[in-house]
Amino acid sequence: MAVPIALTIAGSDSSGGAGIQADLKTFSALGVYGASAIVALTAQNTRGVTAIHDAPPQFIAAQIDAVMEDLAVGAVKIGMVSRAESIETIADALVRHRVEKVVIDPVMIASSGARLLAGDAIEALRSRLAPLALLLTPNLPEAAALLDCDPAGSEEEMAEQGRALQRLGARAVLVKGGHADGPESVDVLIAPDGSASRITGPRLRTKNTHGTGCTVSSAIAAKLAQGAALDDAVRAARSYLAEALAAADGLSVGSGHGPVHHFVRWWSPDDC
């Protein structure tokens, strides 16, 4: 059998903990071959983002076309896209190549607090990308920004906001509760039929959360590329992230919000 392939369309993180780098690490850790289309270069580390250099839209399209015309891509993950023009280009490419399994992580703010999405790009994300998503994976602040409302304060409000985002056209929505409080971390998955389900795990206390959103969305894409059903893919990805997050403190990378340990199943810092 051919190896499953997933494509990430996102920005590059020079410190290696998020973006394209996190996505490719996640794909590899889960047994999926990773391809990439880079929409922006960022100068960043665990303390913050200092510069963003966007790729020209025509070059973004060229990268996607080159991959899709040759590789049997089973799923696509879309991460940081900072400009409306880039979003339009990506949406056109997804339609052109008839991509069905699309996971969109609407990255707006980095773990360090840096804003990564231009204001005029939010409407393009709502109107052009969201309707192409099999799954949209916002955290609480991102869901609120997309809906122009306050962040959800309860699981009921998370479900309501998930269904509101579903009405933008996404077939399913995963509202992530990592920014909430409490002993449990609760995500709410709105299935294509509108039903809501809770996905829970212990809340892990660590400052090393750099790349968590990128990691879980790319893990979902990896599982979809392997043929998993959506609910199974989300739960498997959530479990993988919990392992990577629990081992994050052992990496000791950087002085700010360090990365999760993408290869926790393969090696330990103690082995080095």
Side-chain angles (χ1 to χ4, degrees):
M1 294 180 63
V3 63
I5 300 172
L7 166 65
T8 170
I9 304 172
S12 168
D13 172 6
S14 54
S15 71
I20 289 283
Q21 288 82 352
D23 297 342
L24 293 177
K25 289 175 185 178
T26 300
F27 293 162
S28 294
L30 296 178
V32 170
Y33 181 87
S36 65
I38 298 176
V39 302
L41 305 176
T42 69
Q44 69 174 293
N45 54 32
T46 64
R47 296 193 300 266
V49 179
T50 57
I52 299 176
H53 179 72
D54 292 291
Q58 63 270 27
F59 187 69
I60 297 172
Q63 292 177 82
I64 297 171
D65 289 344
V67 172
M68 299 299 296
E69 290 168 3
D70 183 43
L71 278 61
V73 174
V76 172
K77 174 265 170 83
I78 300 174
M80 185 198 113
V81 187
S82 61
R83 297 195 303 170
E85 300 95 318
S86 301
I87 290 174
E88 297 281 354
T89 296
I90 294 167
D92 289 343
L94 295 176
V95 172
R96 184 164 62 249
H97 294 288
R98 299 183 177 89
V99 183
E100 295 184 359
K101 297 179 180 180
V102 180
V103 178
I104 298 177
D105 181 25
V107 180
M108 297 181 181
I109 300 173
S111 299
S112 62
R115 188 172 184 85
L116 301 175
L117 187 68
D120 65 345
I122 296 178
E123 180 54 37
L125 198 160
R126 290 188 191 110
S127 62
R128 290 301 316 276
L129 273 187
L132 301 175
L134 169 59
L135 181 69
L136 192 64
T137 66
N139 59 31
L140 296 180
E142 290 163 350
L146 286 170
L147 295 170
D148 194 22
C149 66
D150 293 330
S154 67
E155 292 179 39
E156 291 75 17
E157 290 181 358
M158 290 170 68
E160 290 173 6
Q161 292 190 7
R163 292 190 179 99
L165 290 170
Q166 195 176 43
R167 289 193 287 274
L168 295 177
R171 279 170 281 172
V173 179
L174 179 69
V175 182
K176 300 175 297 186
H179 286 75
D181 296 319
E184 276 191 324
S185 178
V186 180
D187 297 346
V188 175
L189 175 63
I190 306 300
D193 64 2
S195 61
S197 57
R198 302 171 77 245
I199 302 173
T200 66
R203 187 172 299 280
L204 301 171
R205 302 295 179 182
T206 175
K207 71 170 185 175
N208 296 315
T209 57
H210 188 55
T212 50
C214 304
T215 297
V216 75
S217 57
S218 56
I220 294 168
K223 290 299 179 180
L224 291 172
Q226 291 171 330
L230 179 61
D231 184 80
D232 293 337
V234 170
R235 292 179 185 277
R238 183 69 150 64
S239 177
Y240 167 70
L241 175 62
E243 293 177 40
L245 194 56
D249 288 355
L251 285 181
S252 299
V253 172
S255 58
H257 295 279
V260 303
H261 187 2
H262 293 96
F263 294 106
V264 60
R265 297 179 180 178
W266 296 98
W267 58 268
S268 164
D270 294 336
D271 299 331
C272 300

